[in-house]
Amino acid sequence: MTEPAAADSSPYSRGCAWVQGEYVPVGEAKISLLDAGFSRSDVTYDVVAVWDGKFFRLDAHLDRFERSMKHLHMNLGLDRAGISEILHECVRRSGLRESYVEMIATRGRPGRGARDPWTFQNQFYAYAIPYIWIVEPDKQEAGSHLIIARDTVRIPEASVDPTVKNFHWGDLTRGAFEARERGGSTVALPDLDGNLTEGPGFNIFLVVDGELRTPDAGVLEGITRRTVLDLAAEQGLTAHVAPLPVADVGQADEAFMTSTAGGVMPVTSIDGQPLGDGTPGPITMQLRQSYWDAHDDPRWTTPVAY
Ligand SMILES: Cc1ncc(COP(=O)(O)O)c(C=O)c1O
């Protein structure tokens, strides 16, 4: 198939990256094989969306990114304004109005013969590419089939802190294959105590008797999750952020997943059992609508200067 004529002949039209102190077309961005971000998963990152030309909750993403770097003893020698400026410029050069914007801090490269992580020079990378959907909008309307993994548990938080956004996805990927084998479209992992945690790139909510339930621990504190909790409070919905035993999942009338990459994504069956009438539930759809409406709300948006 031939490519459609490029609407934009700019070298950045497929995305723009910031690597080694330069802006480059995303397809040309390269990092060293010796960077411990690659060889040791010694990295943290964050992803913020641009929707209709505006960053959504950029401050919350930068706060989380800064907290994560601090936790990992990383220092980029770049302040928040500097990071923000690079993200803006990546989006500006790409010209994208809807974009998936990633910022990455790696441990960097060792000195010759060195191994001590505190001696490395930490590196910052960033890129803006077209917006990514974990679940495409038409599939969201139909709803996802969620499997709760039986053979895979989430890496314990005493080993890898899930509140520090990380590349330790071995458990999540293994769970995704398990879900596929069991006829599901996606997966959520339990922890070692049998409580629900999260899935590959998203948090989980159940709706039980009109109230929201989402795990309090063992998960990334998603910005979309937080937005849903904020919107729920504004709409007078009760939300419980507390341990969520897998054994309680059968009580759910509705369920949904939340992520920067896709928003509020309805779930219509869990472990093969339909939820409600098997279509996306009313509270889910109400929150999904308000989530997207909030992308025009000035308190949560930062326009890109194209
Ligand atoms: C493991 C995990 N949980 C949850 C989320 C959702 O977080 P957010 O809503 O900030 O995108 C992500 C996002 O990538 C993730 O990787």
Side-chain angles (χ1 to χ4, degrees):
M1 205 174 91
T2 50
E3 294 278 338
D8 178 358
S9 57
S10 147
Y12 298 111
S13 59
R14 284 165 190 259
C16 173
W18 167 264
V19 181
Q20 314 294 352
E22 283 183 11
Y23 295 100
V24 291
V26 72
E28 292 171 21
K30 294 184 178 66
I31 68 158
S32 168
L33 282 178
L34 303 181
D35 189 319
F38 174 71
S39 60
R40 296 282 186 273
S41 291
D42 195 349
V43 58
T44 187
Y45 74 114
D46 219 290
V47 175
V48 56
V50 166
W51 196 257
D52 193 21
K54 302 183 278 294
F55 282 98
F56 186 63
R57 302 202 80 169
L58 179 59
D59 278 331
H61 286 276
L62 290 172
D63 285 346
R64 186 171 67 183
F65 187 53
E66 287 182 337
R67 269 199 316 275
S68 296
M69 285 191 289
K70 193 161 175 226
H71 184 95
L72 297 177
H73 309 279
M74 288 183 183
N75 184 345
L76 298 175
L78 187 64
D79 64 10
R80 185 181 174 105
I83 293 171
S84 177
E85 170 54 31
I86 291 169
L87 301 180
H88 272 268
E89 186 62 16
C90 284
V91 179
R92 197 187 69 72
R93 290 198 187 208
S94 75
L96 292 164
R97 305 281 306 172
E98 275 80 37
S99 179
Y100 175 103
V101 184
E102 182 154 335
M103 60 202 99
I104 307 170
T106 67
R107 186 70 58 201
R109 277 194 297 180
R112 193 186 296 199
R115 270 286 171 89
D116 297 334
W118 46 90
T119 63
F120 291 34
Q121 190 174 2
N122 305 154
Q123 298 292 319
F124 179 63
Y125 308 105
Y127 62 83
I129 55 173
Y131 185 78
I132 292 176
W133 299 91
I134 292 181
V135 182
E136 291 285 338
D138 58 330
K139 295 218 170 89
Q140 290 189 15
E141 300 285 337
S144 294
H145 301 292
L146 182 74
I147 295 291
I148 315 266
R150 288 190 207 121
D151 300 341
T152 316
V153 292
R154 188 82 175 104
I155 299 171
E157 51 186 332
S159 303
V160 174
D161 183 344
T163 67
V164 175
K165 200 164 157 66
N166 64 70
F167 283 178
H168 298 277
W169 271 49
D171 54 349
L172 298 168
T173 303
R174 178 173 144 169
F177 276 96
E178 184 186 334
R180 195 171 125 111
E181 276 161 22
R182 288 172 49 200
S185 52
T186 191
V187 74
L189 303 192
D191 65 15
L192 286 165
D193 299 321
N195 292 314
L196 205 57
T197 66
E198 59 189 338
F202 56 83
N203 293 110
I204 292 276
F205 283 78
L206 301 183
V207 183
V208 181
D209 295 333
E211 298 184 348
L212 301 180
R213 294 181 64 180
T214 195
D216 59 334
V219 299
L220 179 72
E221 291 169 351
I223 309 299
T224 320
R225 168 181 177 268
R226 194 202 297 179
T227 303
V228 164
L229 292 170
D230 292 343
L231 294 169
E234 287 172 14
Q235 293 170 21
L237 288 167
T238 301
H240 304 275
V241 182
L244 214 178
V246 170
D248 288 3
V249 163
Q251 300 169 7
D253 307 308
E254 303 179 28
F256 58 88
M257 312 175 280
T258 60
S259 175
T260 296
V264 174
M265 299 170 280
V267 168
T268 47
S269 76
I270 300 185
D271 286 343
Q273 295 299 313
L275 298 174
D277 66 1
T279 63
I283 292 178
T284 302
M285 293 310 262
Q286 173 188 321
L287 287 167
R288 181 172 179 253
Q289 184 63 47
S290 17
Y291 175 75
W292 287 108
D293 290 348
H295 286 64
D296 270 332
D297 188 333
R299 73 185 154 147
W300 281 339
T301 51
T302 313
V304 177
Y306 290 98

